Amino acid sequence: DIIATYDWIYAEIHLYRYNQGLNRIMPLQDALVVDSTKRDYATFWDQVEATGTSTSAMQMSMSKDHLVYSTAMYNNDNSTWIMKRVFVYEYQKEGAGDGSDQKFIFRQDFNASDYHDTFGWDLTIDQDVLVIGGGGQNVVFGLKENGHFVEEFRFNSWLYSIQISGRNAIAIDYDYGVFSLNFADCLQKMPTQSPSSSVAPNSTPSALSKASIINP
């Protein structure tokens, strides 16, 4: 019953919850700030022109317990987007415990530079599985007991979009072919560890065959 919206001009994610008693949608907490640079609707493009760059959220996905979004920097000089980071927030029903109204608490982030230059162009999350892709390279993460997502494996496939439910996924490629994937046999238990954004993760063999493709 939680709704997330993104304000592209002000670079903020707003979270709402349906209040059944009042029969209306109410703000859940303060907005999550994607870009701390002060923005003004009337002068937004003037600011982009002056600074040459602008950071925005590119993709956003939500599950029962997590909110994930990727960010990219727009380079006005060559009109391109450069993927930057992926942020993971965890929902805590009782809040942050610091007296604030924050329910979604920052948990971890990934730097695109540790993976590839289109990392975060597409992403999806459900329960304990997070898939971050882009540019034909897809990284599958599993949620560990310490509350962090850790890389499980990678597979190469040019996917336009992917959505997961449990251990299953539906993907659309750039030829608009629809695939059903099953990650059940691929998600092996790994030692619990905290990720480090300063160290590039170890690569695992990249092969689409590691994910069972059903009815391509």
Side-chain angles (χ1 to χ4, degrees):
D1 59 349
I2 296 176
I3 302 170
T5 64
Y6 179 62
D7 186 323
W8 186 77
I9 292 295
Y10 293 99
E12 294 178 340
I13 295 174
H14 297 273
L15 295 151
Y16 305 89
R17 162 169 275 168
Y18 175 68
N19 187 311
Q20 188 173 8
L22 298 175
N23 192 30
R24 65 177 61 181
I25 296 174
M26 307 286 291
L28 177 67
Q29 64 174 62
D30 293 339
L32 302 179
V33 179
V34 174
D35 184 5
S36 59
T37 303
K38 185 178 180 180
R39 297 190 180 190
D40 178 80
Y41 181 85
T43 60
F44 173 72
W45 287 111
D46 292 336
Q47 292 177 21
V48 173
E49 185 71 27
T51 62
T53 61
S54 174
T55 299
S56 296
M58 290 298 291
Q59 295 289 342
M60 182 168 58
S61 183
M62 208 168 161
S63 67
K64 178 182 177 182
D65 298 313
H66 293 89
L67 169 71
V68 182
Y69 68 89
S70 60
T71 62
M73 179 177 290
Y74 180 74
N75 188 325
N76 194 52
D77 292 335
N78 54 17
S79 300
T80 58
W81 288 97
I82 303 171
M83 300 307 299
K84 301 299 290 183
R85 300 165 74 184
V86 174
F87 294 87
V88 180
Y89 283 76
E90 181 182 13
Y91 177 71
Q92 297 183 8
K93 185 176 181 180
E94 301 304 322
D98 58 1
S100 70
D101 64 348
Q102 300 300 95
K103 301 294 185 182
F104 278 91
I105 312 302
F106 172 75
R107 174 61 73 175
Q108 70 184 107
D109 66 337
F110 304 97
N111 287 324
S113 60
D114 289 338
Y115 294 88
H116 52 83
D117 57 7
T118 55
F119 181 79
W121 193 259
D122 190 25
L123 56 82
T124 180
I125 186 173
D126 186 64
Q127 299 181 34
D128 58 350
V129 180
L130 169 63
V131 181
I132 304 176
Q137 303 178 62
N138 306 277
V139 187
V140 180
F141 299 85
L143 182 64
K144 301 306 172 183
E145 293 181 357
N146 64 355
H148 287 92
F149 284 91
V150 175
E151 180 181 336
E152 298 279 9
F153 66 94
R154 304 182 186 191
F155 67 95
N156 293 338
S157 183
W158 283 88
L159 302 177
Y160 177 76
S161 179
I162 182 171
Q163 295 295 321
I164 59 176
S165 177
R167 292 294 187 269
N168 299 299
I170 296 293
I172 302 174
D173 63 19
Y174 280 85
D175 293 324
Y176 297 101
V178 179
F179 298 85
S180 174
L181 300 92
N182 190 319
F183 295 139
D185 297 333
C186 310
L187 294 170
Q188 304 295 330
K189 290 187 177 180
M190 297 175 60
T192 301
Q193 60 183 26
S194 297
S196 172
S197 60
S198 61
V199 180
N202 294 326
S203 295
T204 56
S206 298
L208 190 57
S209 60
K210 296 201 69 174
S212 303
I213 303 181
I214 306 171
N215 298 326

